[in-house]
Amino acid sequence: MSDITTAPTAPPSVHVRAVITWLAIFPLVSIGMILLAPVSESWHPILRALLLTALVVPTAVYLVVPQLMRAYGATRRAAAKRRTARV
């Protein structure tokens, strides 16, 4: 049963989604580059990019971005709750 007193929140703006996506992708790419460097230094750059993106994109899309979106939503809900408590 849902609480009818809580209004659904608007989805995050495209700018917020872009920042959240970047926050997921940058560390994953950085870590991936460091981990792949010893085994892939002789590979063609396109092959390295292919492998790196094949690992990073699903990890970001299915694991990291949803967690960051949940954290962002929880933060927004907490801020909204604080605002309504002051009024």
Side-chain angles (χ1 to χ4, degrees):
M1 186 185 273
S2 68
D3 185 4
I4 59 171
T5 61
T6 58
T9 57
S13 72
V14 67
H15 308 297
V16 169
R17 289 189 315 245
V19 169
I20 288 172
T21 302
W22 181 83
L23 285 172
I25 295 291
F26 177 74
L28 290 172
V29 168
S30 300
I31 292 167
M33 287 173 62
I34 291 168
L35 293 176
L36 286 176
V39 295
S40 67
E41 63 186 30
S42 64
W43 297 4
H44 192 279
I46 292 178
L47 185 56
R48 273 185 280 170
L50 176 68
L51 179 61
L52 184 61
T53 57
L55 297 172
V56 166
V57 171
T59 303
V61 169
Y62 294 113
L63 298 175
V64 180
V65 171
Q67 293 296 323
L68 291 174
M69 292 296 281
R70 276 189 213 98
Y72 175 76
T75 303
R76 292 219 22 208
R77 285 189 297 279
K81 197 179 270 189
R82 282 193 303 275
R83 279 193 303 272
T84 57
R86 280 190 241 148
V87 176

